[in-house]
Amino acid sequence: MTSPADGSRERIREVVSYFLRLGLLGFGGPVALVGQMGRELADERGWLTKEQMREAVAICQSLPLAIQVGVYISYLRAGFWGAWAGGWAFILPNFVIVACLGALYVFLGDLKPVTAIFYGVSPAVIALILHSCWRLAKLGMEDWLQWAIAAVCFVVTVTLRAEVALLFIAAGLVGILYYGNALGLRRPSTLAIAAPLAAAAPVAPTASGSILAKLLLFFLKAGSLTFGSGLVIVPFLEQGLVREYGWLDQRQFLIAVAIGMISPGPVVITATFVGYLVAGFWGSLVSTIGIFLPSFILVLIAAPILARHRANKNVQGFVKGAYGAAIGTILGACVLLGRIAIGDWLTALIGLASLAVLFRWKVSNPMLIAATALVGLIAYPSLQPTWVMVK
């Protein structure tokens, strides 16, 4: 991996400008955002090579994907301080938007139009994820082992209805055994592939102290233990926020999910909305810091190490194994989120039509989001689908 550029003011301004725009206008969730970064920064601007982009995706598959890739690219482009500046610039527009929506919800008591928009936009978001996953698979899936790892991670994600924190580490270790030179092994058995993945287990969050401290601790753990694309954070949050702590009811949680899915920037910005509902502005601030801070720490610790060991076969093997796990978990996320997003003939039709449009034409994400939001606003009042509010 090429050494990071120096943190010149010009390059820092460059990454801040780009990620402010992406944070304001980037729709479609983490995978769509990563696909947009790859297209604009690798293909068009030449900030990094396609190989560097592929490695960035694999390396950043733990914690919220889009923000980590943004921090990582900012690090390569503008050094240590550029990573902090670019990463928080990516988050800031979405934080402002979602905190304001949280305030509106608290003061007005309801956001029925948001439910209608969520009804129309969510199937399109699933289509965006699938289309972006296809692009990522074309970029980095090379052989049968990666697809085998992807299949295992897909099954585990869908079966457990949650992300398994050690999946990517285990997949990376399998990649070291197969592609690298650890222990001199080249062809591990099927059991050697499946055993470490099956042994991984999710870790439940705990909290104590004041409400702000509880929020900060909960979202720090969510940010640290939510592995994969960030998309499967929904079942993790539902378990903690609704069933364990009782901070939100099911209806409020669904609206929070809608906000995260329809707003630009990383989908885990749902934390900002949740924080505002629980403890006002300061709750939104500490929740946002909690969900994103682990991404900065991990990237800035890992990036310099990986920059020194790019040619190492074990490092390359780890990256390939983790990449396969990424694809499988993202596809599993599509199934989990699809259960929330698609529940009748119209949402199924919106999802299929959106997917067809994405494969046939180069339509922009905001245009697709706007069109499907309009469909939701028109159709929801007349159809009144009860499943939207009861899932």
Side-chain angles (χ1 to χ4, degrees):
M1 185 174 300
T2 305
S3 297
D6 59 33
S8 67
R9 291 183 179 180
E10 180 181 352
R11 290 203 169 189
I12 291 176
R13 284 196 297 268
E14 207 174 32
V15 297
V16 167
S17 175
Y18 175 79
F19 283 108
L20 277 172
R21 181 181 67 82
L22 185 65
L24 184 63
L25 301 175
F27 289 88
V31 186
L33 289 172
V34 170
Q36 185 174 344
M37 280 186 256
R39 184 173 63 253
E40 294 177 347
L41 300 182
D43 298 342
E44 297 174 9
R45 300 195 185 192
W47 282 12
L48 68 168
T49 66
K50 288 185 178 181
E51 176 67 18
Q52 287 175 314
M53 186 66 200
R54 182 166 59 218
E55 290 179 349
V57 173
I59 291 163
C60 298
Q61 277 304 324
S62 57
L63 312 177
L65 173 63
I67 182 61
Q68 278 201 213
V69 173
V71 172
Y72 191 79
I73 291 173
S74 297
Y75 173 80
L76 291 178
R77 184 66 179 171
F80 179 85
W81 294 113
W84 286 97
W88 288 113
F90 191 11
I91 297 164
L92 179 61
N94 210 203
F95 170 77
V96 173
I97 292 170
V98 174
C100 289
L101 289 173
L104 282 173
Y105 182 84
V106 169
F107 288 116
L108 299 180
D110 203 353
L111 281 177
K112 291 182 180 179
V114 170
T115 303
I117 291 171
F118 168 62
Y119 174 73
V121 165
S122 296
V125 171
I126 302 300
L128 282 167
I129 296 168
L130 286 171
H131 182 255
S132 297
C133 188
W134 174 75
R135 290 173 58 91
L136 290 174
K138 284 180 61 180
L139 179 67
M141 297 295 280
E142 299 175 356
D143 59 26
W144 71 270
L145 179 62
Q146 286 182 295
W147 284 110
I149 291 172
V152 172
C153 292
F154 172 81
V155 171
V156 171
T157 300
V158 173
T159 301
L160 297 184
R161 295 179 56 86
E163 297 173 75
V164 179
L166 299 181
L167 276 178
F168 293 93
I169 296 174
L173 293 176
V174 171
I176 290 174
L177 292 175
Y178 186 83
Y179 302 106
N181 52 23
L183 304 179
L185 297 178
R186 284 290 298 168
R187 296 292 187 271
S189 67
T190 303
L191 287 177
I193 296 171
L197 297 179
V203 180
T206 59
S208 61
S210 70
I211 191 64
L212 291 179
K214 288 180 180 180
L215 280 169
L216 180 61
L217 181 58
F218 176 78
F219 283 109
L220 277 171
K221 289 199 171 187
S224 300
L225 301 176
T226 302
F227 280 68
S229 66
L231 297 169
V232 207
I233 197 173
V234 171
F236 178 86
L237 293 182
E238 194 273 339
Q239 178 182 348
L241 298 173
V242 179
R243 289 184 281 168
E244 187 170 349
Y245 297 121
W247 286 335
L248 304 181
D249 59 32
Q250 190 69 28
R251 181 173 182 276
Q252 290 172 325
F253 177 74
L254 285 172
I255 291 177
V257 171
I259 293 294
M261 294 177 74
I262 67 173
S263 59
V267 74
V268 292
I269 201 68
T270 293
T272 302
F273 189 82
V274 170
Y276 202 101
L277 265 58
V278 175
F281 172 78
W282 294 111
S284 69
L285 183 62
V286 299
S287 298
T288 304
I289 293 171
I291 199 71
F292 289 114
L293 184 59
S295 297
F296 287 85
I297 295 172
L298 180 62
V299 169
L300 293 176
I301 291 173
I305 297 172
L306 290 165
R308 293 195 298 269
H309 299 284
R310 180 193 177 194
N312 186 288
K313 289 188 179 296
N314 291 328
V315 172
Q316 293 175 348
F318 187 93
V319 168
K320 288 183 179 181
Y323 201 96
I327 297 299
T329 305
I330 291 167
L331 290 174
C334 288
V335 173
L336 295 176
L337 291 177
R339 294 170 181 171
I340 298 174
I342 300 173
D344 57 23
W345 67 269
L346 181 57
T347 48
L349 182 61
I350 291 172
L352 291 173
S354 299
L355 197 60
V357 167
L358 288 168
F359 275 100
R360 181 64 180 84
W361 296 284
K362 290 184 178 180
V363 62
S364 68
N365 291 352
M367 184 180 297
L368 181 64
I369 292 295
T372 53
L374 183 61
V375 172
L377 285 169
I378 293 172
Y380 184 83
S382 57
L383 295 178
Q384 291 291 319
T386 56
W387 62 269
V388 174
M389 302 311 303
V390 299
K391 272 194 175 182

